[in-house]
Amino acid sequence: MSSIHIKHRHCLKPGETRERVDRIARHLKSKYKVNYTWEGDRLRSKHKGSFAHVYLADGYIELKIQLAVLFAPLRGKIERAIRKNLRSVVGDEEGAPSKIKPVSYTH
């Protein structure tokens, strides 16, 4: 299995961070049928043999993703899309974005 590990820094308050990450999760569920659950500050999801754990901490989001063999060749493309989506939806240390629409993972 191929893996992706991202630690994304931001300046949002915890409630706003969770709301925006949940917005991404809902988008992925509706578009790709990705199942997810919240366990405290952790979001866990799985889809076609891939697993993701998202931890919300003060000032950063940490993602650990195990990709199924089927998705391993797309690892770089998937990681770039995730980073772009996080910047678009959550912002970064410089500030939150004004536009909060998730980008597509299929481009």
Side-chain angles (χ1 to χ4, degrees):
M1 283 188 121
S2 185
S3 65
I4 298 172
H5 183 211
I6 297 171
K7 190 170 185 179
H8 180 82
R9 298 198 179 280
H10 63 80
C11 65
L12 297 174
K13 294 181 180 178
E16 181 70 15
T17 304
R18 183 179 172 121
E19 179 182 318
R20 291 181 186 212
V21 169
D22 194 63
R23 190 173 296 170
I24 294 170
R26 288 191 318 265
H27 171 76
L28 293 173
K29 183 174 184 171
S30 70
K31 188 165 184 170
Y32 302 109
K33 303 195 183 352
V34 175
N35 294 316
Y36 72 95
T37 58
W38 281 100
E39 298 172 4
D41 290 337
R42 294 181 188 274
L43 179 141
R44 298 183 189 278
S45 71
K46 72 178 189 179
H47 179 67
K48 296 185 179 182
S50 294
F51 303 92
H53 300 275
V54 181
Y55 174 66
L56 307 181
D58 190 24
Y60 70 90
I61 298 169
E62 186 169 12
L63 293 94
K64 293 182 179 180
I65 303 166
Q66 292 293 318
L67 297 173
V69 174
L70 174 69
F71 297 114
L74 301 172
R75 182 192 173 281
K77 187 174 184 176
I78 292 168
E79 183 172 352
R80 285 189 299 277
I82 291 168
R83 289 181 186 279
K84 184 177 180 181
N85 204 348
L86 284 171
R87 282 191 305 275
S88 172
V89 177
V90 177
D92 56 25
E93 293 173 298
E94 302 299 318
S98 58
K99 182 179 175 185
I100 49 177
K101 179 182 176 191
V103 296
S104 175
Y105 283 96
T106 58
H107 290 129

